[in-house]
Amino acid sequence: MALEDAVVLSTLVNHVSNDSSQNAQERINLPSALDLFFDARVSRTRFLREKARSMRNIFAIPPGPDQKLRDQLLRSDMDAIGRAGVEKNGYSAIEKRQGFAKDSPNFLTDVSFRDMLFGYDAGSVGKDIVARLEHREF
Amino acid sequence: MEHAHFPASAVVRAYDSAEILSQQRLGDLMVHLYGHSYTMLHRVDLHRTLYDEAVKLGADIQLAHPVIAVDCDNATAKAANGKVWRGDLIVGADGEKSICREAVIGRPTPSVDSGDHVFRMVIPSAHITEYPELAGLLDPSSVTVTMGPHGHAVTYYLKQDGLLNVVLMAAHEHPEERPKPPHPVDIDQVRQDFAGWKLPELVLKVTEQCSRWTLLDTPAADQWIKGNVVLVGDAAHPMLPTL
């Protein structure tokens, strides 16, 4: 998360004007850049902080009905992947399908969570904010 | 990245039987989906990579200058030896025990005992080959999570270094007022704590050294900016290592 923060923050700070001859419409001041950084990052980091806590709890479930259910979910997701066909590229269609293994105790099997975690491009996030500034969308 | 490790899969095992409950392919699937490999890198190697790049970009890195105070309005930072820096912006990337966080929020944000102990061992892979039952449960190309009562274990090889990395986590009953930093612990006590955990038991039999510390629970900052100071990383949003 710190690396993502760095990319988004540096993209925005690079857009701050410290030269009065620059086009004022396209540049922002530092406080605005910092606020935009916070707005861009706060929800994602809060969500992942909570997710890390919930994974800790899921890992530590003591033997009992909840544990049996958790373990069975893991097994059945693997069965589903095993039974699904493979596409021409060698990958199983199901292990990329949106919604597959939602909230899985193996968060790397949970397609939408995995996409959210690894599909994030901090560089694009920063550049999109800058582009919207240049179009006066803020 | 020559020090990086690219696990082929993420495995979940049951604690008592070591049954594989889940084996999620990583490797080329991650490249196919996200354009990059799922990568494991030692912290030291990550730091070195960042350090080298920062120096190349012209950063002036001054080690051994712990910052003890920041002034948000004047954007100054003061080191323990009295040295003061002033700038347009101070980025508080000072981690879990951030002093910048306190300056931004205006009050201390002490960490508390999360309720978990973390145990760490590093075992030479060459040593493990002498124990076939253990070696058989450790796939060199996976990262493995063992889920068990009130805790879990993570095991993975650091191929380049020829080491098996083992991290255990276990809940403890009495909250510690002063959470303990890493210290060596009696391996027999750890063996007792993880009795009945098939894979951890085997690992604990082949080593005598184990370090333990109390996992901290640190408040997130609801405000990351004050004046010309901005928090990033763990200073802004610390999280448990279970992701």
Side-chain angles (χ1 to χ4, degrees):
Chain A
M1 289 297 110
L3 296 174
E4 291 179 0
D5 287 346
V7 172
V8 175
L9 179 62
S10 60
T11 304
L12 293 171
V13 168
N14 276 336
H15 204 63
V16 169
S17 168
N18 52 16
D19 177 348
S20 56
S21 69
Q22 284 170 348
N23 186 342
Q25 284 191 344
E26 288 182 1
R27 296 278 159 161
I28 51 171
N29 59 26
L30 182 59
S32 302
L34 300 182
D35 285 342
L36 288 165
F37 161 71
F38 176 79
D39 290 342
R41 296 293 298 160
V42 63
S43 306
R44 177 174 172 81
T45 53
R46 269 186 194 151
F47 177 79
L48 290 171
R49 177 182 157 89
E50 286 316 306
K51 182 76 175 179
R53 169 160 307 282
S54 93
M55 291 321 301
R56 179 262 164 223
N57 293 339
I58 287 171
F59 291 172
I61 298 175
D66 290 341
Q67 166 262 320
K68 288 195 166 66
L69 181 59
R70 176 198 68 195
D71 292 358
Q72 196 46 43
L73 273 171
L74 287 166
R75 289 187 194 99
S76 59
D77 288 339
M78 286 300 114
D79 287 344
I81 292 177
R83 278 182 282 112
V86 279
E87 295 174 333
K88 259 182 286 198
N89 53 22
Y91 301 114
S92 163
I94 199 176
E95 69 187 320
K96 305 185 291 170
R97 185 176 307 159
Q98 270 304 308
F100 175 66
K102 189 172 189 325
D103 299 326
S104 173
N106 186 345
F107 60 83
L108 293 170
T109 302
D110 178 344
V111 175
S112 24
F113 177 73
R114 198 179 61 205
D115 286 353
M116 180 260 191
L117 188 61
F118 299 137
Y120 182 90
D121 182 340
S124 296
V125 168
K127 290 192 190 117
D128 284 349
I129 297 171
V130 167
R132 282 150 73 195
L133 284 170
E134 287 171 351
H135 290 105
R136 309 279 297 153
E137 285 179 39
F138 289 101
Chain B
M1 290 304 266
E2 62 269 17
H3 299 282
H5 177 51
F6 307 107
S9 61
V11 169
V12 179
R13 288 184 184 273
Y15 84 103
D16 45 359
S17 61
E19 173 201 347
I20 291 182
L21 299 169
S22 172
Q23 180 153 14
Q24 175 57 49
R25 174 183 21 197
L26 298 172
D28 47 307
L29 177 64
M30 296 293 118
V31 177
H32 171 67
L33 291 172
Y34 309 114
H36 295 284
S37 295
Y38 183 94
T39 306
M40 301 182 75
L41 190 63
H42 197 291
R43 175 191 301 266
V44 166
D45 294 317
L46 177 61
H47 282 180
R48 192 177 301 123
T49 304
L50 292 170
Y51 177 91
D52 289 346
E53 188 63 20
V55 165
K56 249 191 246 170
L57 292 169
D60 174 13
I61 299 181
Q62 298 173 28
L63 299 176
H65 279 76
V67 171
I68 54 166
V70 293
D71 181 324
C72 297
D73 299 315
N74 297 316
T76 58
K78 185 162 94 169
N81 66 1
K83 181 163 184 171
V84 173
W85 296 273
R86 160 177 257 121
D88 297 314
L89 175 66
I90 292 178
V91 178
D94 51 342
E96 192 170 45
K97 296 187 171 68
S98 170
I99 61 118
C100 294
R101 184 193 308 125
E102 180 170 338
V104 165
I105 296 186
R107 61 176 192 280
T109 52
S111 306
V112 296
D113 180 359
S114 68
D116 285 326
H117 282 144
V118 183
F119 306 76
R120 188 157 179 262
M121 290 160 277
V122 173
I123 303 167
S125 332
H127 193 53
I128 303 223
T129 54
E130 299 168 37
Y131 301 91
E133 192 189 3
L134 173 58
L137 290 173
L138 293 167
D139 174 3
S141 65
S142 319
V143 48
T144 302
V145 173
T146 299
M147 297 189 183
H150 310 293
H152 67 277
V154 183
T155 47
Y156 57 93
Y157 281 100
L158 291 168
K159 233 181 272 166
Q160 260 76 11
D161 307 325
L163 299 170
L164 175 74
N165 200 38
V166 182
V167 179
L168 309 175
M169 202 179 292
H172 57 275
E173 275 193 36
H174 306 289
E176 294 165 8
E177 278 217 21
R178 263 183 312 193
K180 301 190 186 100
H183 59 281
V185 284
D186 172 16
I187 195 86
D188 284 321
Q189 179 60 56
V190 187
R191 288 169 182 153
Q192 262 186 49
D193 292 344
F194 288 89
W197 293 56
K198 183 161 185 185
L199 172 53
E201 254 181 347
L202 291 170
V203 171
L204 286 164
K205 270 200 205 127
V206 311
T207 187
E208 296 297 318
Q209 318 279 74
C210 182
S211 165
R212 190 189 84 181
W213 64 94
T214 308
L215 186 64
L216 297 175
D217 194 356
T218 306
D222 43 19
Q223 184 188 335
W224 297 358
I225 300 157
K226 182 164 185 237
N228 295 312
V229 176
V230 60
L231 305 176
V232 299
D234 283 351
H237 43 73
M239 36 190 98
L240 298 177
T242 42
L243 191 63

